[in-house]
Amino acid sequence: MKSNAAKSLPVVMYHYVNDSPGSITVSPACFQEHCRAMAKAGWRGVGLAEAEAFLIHGEPLPEKSTLITFDDGFLDNGLNALPALHAYGHKAVMFAVSGRLEQGDAPRVPMADLLAGTAQPLPEASRPVRKNERGFTVRRDVFCNHAEVRAMEASGVMAVASHSRGHLGVFAGPEFTSFAAPGNQGRTFYLTEHGHFWGLPNFKVVPGLRDRAFLPNPELLERIRRLVPQEYDAALEFFASEDSVKALKALAAGFAGDMGRFETDTERRDRMWREIAGGKADLEAILGHGLKTFCWPWGKYGPEAHALALEAGFSLLFTTAEGPNPPAEPLAVGRFKGKSKSGAWLVSRLRAYSRPLLGKFYARLRNLF
């Protein structure tokens, strides 16, 4: 007799659901089509607790189960995705960066209005990419506040789990070719623990839970802050001056051979612990309950970070690698990217990743191209 239990749980990954085009953005209309197509084909987005039971303990799920995930904690997930999830009987999970969640004692849009599909739009959340007064393209993301993530969980539609404290990168080394200056800015997560300021050498930034950090010389950073104005218009004027830029380059050149150092093993462990365990503690305080699920920022991690995640108390770990997810295999859960494509496309991917052998073959094929 054929079993009606799922052999693998396909996991789909979204980030933005809004009207600003982007490689990790789907429009509200596209997301609604995805939800409708899944429901029409018999697929159901399960809740996080059901996914945890399947992936950690091997408890059965019905065939045509999937887990719908959203990375980072953007408000548009609640405004534009939650109503469609509710309308078609799906549940989902948001992986929130605790340090980016905004303070707030009340949701900006009532949950009853969201579930009913009658909420008024918030333009600042639905169009985060815009031109500033100087004509540069900039991204101004709006994240959920504390009350909103609690309300989403209380709705029973959207659970919340950890995506680290800051989604911070680290500097890869002392090499750089330019300096941070006012201009076009389209990235959300580009910060390190050194923050951002005008004149900062544009050292290459790599995933913080995978790589060892290069630590710039503090004296260099302090002298740059004193030289380069930090007010926006004044910084624009500074970088428009050839003499000013020459002075900045000369300052940096004076530190050749003494640009900084790489962190020690102890410093690396402490930094990773702040990101992993600190984010868990922050989010547990906001939500009022424990967490066992963690999603790696950028999907990248090393052996030490993996061990620290387990030490912090996480037992279910999500990546960005594609592949099937059989029961009771919780430590490297695969996901595939939800794209601005048809509902039929999405359903075809769910079918592939619901079958362990086909899912492995398809993931390998995808990695070749």
Side-chain angles (χ1 to χ4, degrees), residues 253-337:
F255 283 81
D258 190 25
M259 292 293 294
R261 64 179 177 84
F262 284 92
E263 65 187 351
T264 65
D265 289 347
T266 298
E267 288 171 330
R268 180 170 69 170
R269 186 192 189 283
D270 290 347
R271 174 180 56 78
M272 290 181 172
W273 185 255
R274 288 193 295 273
E275 276 287 271
I276 296 169
K280 183 175 189 285
D282 292 345
L283 206 51
E284 288 177 340
I286 293 167
L287 298 173
H289 63 74
L291 296 172
K292 63 181 74 171
T293 293
F294 181 71
C295 177
W296 296 107
W298 296 291
K300 307 297 184 183
Y301 59 96
E304 183 172 18
H306 193 272
L308 289 173
L310 299 179
E311 182 181 339
F314 290 115
S315 50
L316 180 58
L317 306 175
F318 284 81
T319 74
T320 56
E322 294 192 20
N325 300 303
E329 293 190 14
L331 299 186
V333 178
R335 299 187 293 166
F336 71 93
K337 180 180 173 183

Side-chain angles (χ1 to χ4, degrees), residues 117-162:
T118 59
Q120 295 298 310
L122 291 181
E124 64 271 24
S126 292
R127 288 197 174 274
V129 180
R130 64 197 75 164
K131 297 281 188 181
N132 68 10
E133 63 278 4
R134 292 291 187 173
F136 294 121
T137 299
V138 295
R139 179 177 286 281
R140 296 288 184 264
D141 294 307
V142 181
F143 289 84
C144 292
N145 68 29
H146 294 183
E148 284 158 350
V149 292
R150 289 193 291 265
M152 287 192 295
E153 283 213 325
S155 75
V157 178
M158 184 92 77
V160 179
S162 182

Side-chain angles (χ1 to χ4, degrees), residues 47-68:
L48 178 60
E50 296 171 274
E52 289 173 339
F54 177 84
L55 293 168
I56 298 172
H57 305 295
E59 296 183 14
L61 277 174
E63 282 187 318
K64 294 191 174 182
S65 294
T66 183
L67 181 64
I68 302 166

Side-chain angles (χ1 to χ4, degrees), residues 99-358:
R100 289 296 189 101
L101 296 179
E102 301 177 12
Q103 299 292 325
D105 296 327
R108 281 163 279 194
V109 175
M111 182 56 62
D113 292 348
L114 285 177
L115 295 178
T118 59
Q120 295 298 310
L122 291 181
E124 64 271 24
S126 292
R127 288 197 174 274
V129 180
R130 64 197 75 164
K131 297 281 188 181
N132 68 10
E133 63 278 4
R134 292 291 187 173
F136 294 121
T137 299
V138 295
R139 179 177 286 281
R140 296 288 184 264
D141 294 307
V142 181
F143 289 84
C144 292
N145 68 29
H146 294 183
E148 284 158 350
V149 292
R150 289 193 291 265
M152 287 192 295
E153 283 213 325
S155 75
V157 178
M158 184 92 77
V160 179
S162 182
H163 199 32
S164 80
R165 170 174 277 172
H167 205 303
L168 297 177
V170 295
F171 294 136
E175 299 79 18
F176 71 95
T177 57
S178 61
F179 301 90
N184 295 322
Q185 189 269 311
R187 295 180 60 195
T188 300
F189 296 106
Y190 58 91
L191 295 178
T192 70
E193 288 193 329
H194 300 281
H196 178 274
F197 56 91
W198 304 129
L200 176 70
N202 282 325
F203 303 111
K204 181 181 179 181
V205 176
V206 292
L209 295 178
R210 184 192 65 188
D211 294 30
R212 187 182 297 274
F214 173 75
L215 307 177
N217 188 322
E219 182 182 352
L220 169 63
L221 301 185
E222 178 56 31
R223 289 181 63 179
I224 289 174
R225 285 191 180 96
R226 292 202 302 264
L227 175 66
V228 181
Q230 294 305 304
E231 191 273 327
Y232 189 87
D233 286 341
L236 272 174
E237 184 177 344
F238 177 94
F239 282 99
S241 165
E242 185 175 333
D243 289 341
S244 295
V245 174
K246 282 183 179 179
L248 177 58
K249 289 180 177 179
L251 171 60
F255 283 81
D258 190 25
M259 292 293 294
R261 64 179 177 84
F262 284 92
E263 65 187 351
T264 65
D265 289 347
T266 298
E267 288 171 330
R268 180 170 69 170
R269 186 192 189 283
D270 290 347
R271 174 180 56 78
M272 290 181 172
W273 185 255
R274 288 193 295 273
E275 276 287 271
I276 296 169
K280 183 175 189 285
D282 292 345
L283 206 51
E284 288 177 340
I286 293 167
L287 298 173
H289 63 74
L291 296 172
K292 63 181 74 171
T293 293
F294 181 71
C295 177
W296 296 107
W298 296 291
K300 307 297 184 183
Y301 59 96
E304 183 172 18
H306 193 272
L308 289 173
L310 299 179
E311 182 181 339
F314 290 115
S315 50
L316 180 58
L317 306 175
F318 284 81
T319 74
T320 56
E322 294 192 20
N325 300 303
E329 293 190 14
L331 299 186
V333 178
R335 299 187 293 166
F336 71 93
K337 180 180 173 183
K339 298 182 179 181
S340 296
K341 294 189 175 184
S342 68
W345 171 88
L346 178 66
V347 169
S348 72
R349 297 305 184 271
L350 295 176
R351 289 181 183 138
Y353 288 118
S354 69
R355 303 171 186 176
L357 292 179
L358 179 59

